[in-house]
Amino acid sequence: MTGVQAGVQVDVPVRQADLGRDGLASTIGMARWLEDARIRLRLHRFERLVGEGKFGPFRILLVGQRVSRLAPAGPVGTRVQVHTGVRRVGRSSITFGQEAMAGDRRVGSGEATVVLADDSGPLRLPDELIADLDGMRLPETGVGGEPAAPRPHPERLHRAHYSYWAPLRSRIGDVDSNQHVNFIALATWYDEAVAAFTLDSIGTTAGGPVPDLPPWSYRIQYLGEVTYPGDYEVALTVRSVDTGSVHYELGVFRANTCLGVADAIGPRGEPSAGR
């Protein structure tokens, strides 16, 4: 993600909740840092426009994100610098590029695409917001920015594409101010499905040791709202296995409706590729 350090820097402390079982920041923890940095961006022209009642009401919806754990970061209290810039500005969407640095080490990276919307659908970005974003454009971003992430292949939306299923129930603590399950909570669902698949693949029994093989990279697209209360299933299939890693394809389903898909890469460990 060359050039992201030219963007806006926010310092984030490593918190206990960010740590994985290895005592270092997890991929989900890094996703929280990137969210913190995006929330703390100052958009002065746009904020003034909203404050004067000239734009809104609106919601900010995350429609896609990518996060990768590139190197260990920790322990608790370590200061991490998250750099955020703008990769693309569309008619109603913004794509941010981000990276996390611990000193001179690049420990994480990501992207996030957000949309401004009301009850009727996406809203056209106001000129004031575009002017704020222009000051954050990354050096490598050309005119018009990078293309938006492609829609998932149609087969990813169908149950028949997947070979493993992990049932999950939404929790009230997962619900955010938009009245749906928060994207960080959804990312933990994918982690849960990978863990359940791993346990099943290697035949670990209840009370036995649990392997620590969470993905170090996620690319997620959100296709519909996951709400509370609700019973869901996270679907998984292994796309490929190489010497040290497993490539997963995942989806969140409510009955036959796919509400989101993810591509994940994690350590191989012991699971068989034959599922």
Side-chain angles (χ1 to χ4, degrees):
M1 196 163 286
T2 304
V4 174
Q5 289 189 62
V8 178
Q9 176 181 320
V10 171
D11 286 356
V12 178
V14 178
R15 297 152 295 200
Q16 185 68 35
D18 299 332
L19 304 183
R21 289 172 53 211
D22 62 359
L24 299 168
S26 67
T27 309
I28 303 300
M30 290 185 176
R32 292 191 185 98
W33 303 345
L34 303 187
E35 179 191 31
D36 283 354
R38 295 194 301 271
I39 290 172
R40 290 159 65 181
L41 291 175
R42 306 318 307 160
L43 303 167
H44 298 290
R45 298 176 184 86
F46 180 60
E47 291 166 6
R48 185 165 54 250
L49 181 72
V50 173
E52 294 171 351
K54 297 178 181 178
F55 186 83
F58 67 94
R59 295 182 295 165
I60 300 175
L61 302 178
L62 183 70
V63 297
Q65 70 165 332
R66 179 182 62 79
V67 58
S68 297
R69 175 184 175 179
L70 304 177
V76 169
T78 301
R79 305 296 297 189
V80 177
Q81 298 75 47
V82 179
H83 302 266
T84 304
V86 174
R87 289 204 177 284
R88 179 181 179 272
V89 177
R91 182 181 181 277
S92 58
S93 66
I94 310 155
T95 298
F96 297 100
Q98 298 180 276
E99 67 181 10
M101 304 289 296
D104 60 357
R105 294 187 304 115
R106 187 166 173 256
V107 297
S109 69
E111 289 184 353
T113 299
V114 301
V115 169
L116 269 59
D118 61 14
D119 291 340
S120 65
L123 299 170
R124 187 180 187 92
L125 301 182
D127 292 340
E128 290 83 353
L129 177 55
I130 293 173
D132 285 330
L133 296 171
D134 280 343
M136 303 179 190
R137 286 187 184 269
L138 298 173
E140 71 271 26
T141 303
V143 177
E146 296 182 348
R151 298 288 290 179
H153 292 295
E155 67 270 15
R156 296 289 302 275
L157 309 182
H158 298 286
R159 295 177 67 92
H161 179 71
Y162 302 94
S163 60
Y164 183 85
W165 298 83
L168 286 168
R169 174 170 292 180
S170 58
R171 302 165 299 182
I172 188 61
D174 296 335
V175 178
D176 63 16
S177 59
N178 285 324
Q179 302 305 309
H180 58 223
V181 173
N182 179 265
F183 74 92
I184 292 289
L186 281 174
T188 68
W189 288 17
Y190 291 123
D191 253 16
E192 181 72 24
V194 171
F197 169 79
T198 300
L199 288 174
D200 190 58
S201 296
I202 64 178
T204 297
T205 58
V210 179
D212 189 21
L213 299 172
W216 58 62
S217 174
Y218 277 113
R219 182 180 293 273
I220 302 172
Q221 295 185 62
Y222 305 93
L223 307 177
E225 290 192 352
V226 178
T227 57
Y228 173 87
D231 291 309
Y232 298 88
E233 292 174 284
V234 182
L236 178 151
T237 194
V238 174
R239 184 174 72 241
S240 63
V241 178
D242 56 34
T243 302
S245 62
V246 182
H247 297 247
Y248 303 97
E249 294 181 343
L250 302 109
V252 172
F253 283 79
R254 189 167 194 176
N256 291 320
T257 301
C258 183
L259 299 171
V261 298
D263 296 279
I265 305 173
R268 180 173 180 174
E270 298 299 327
S272 166
R275 297 276 320 201

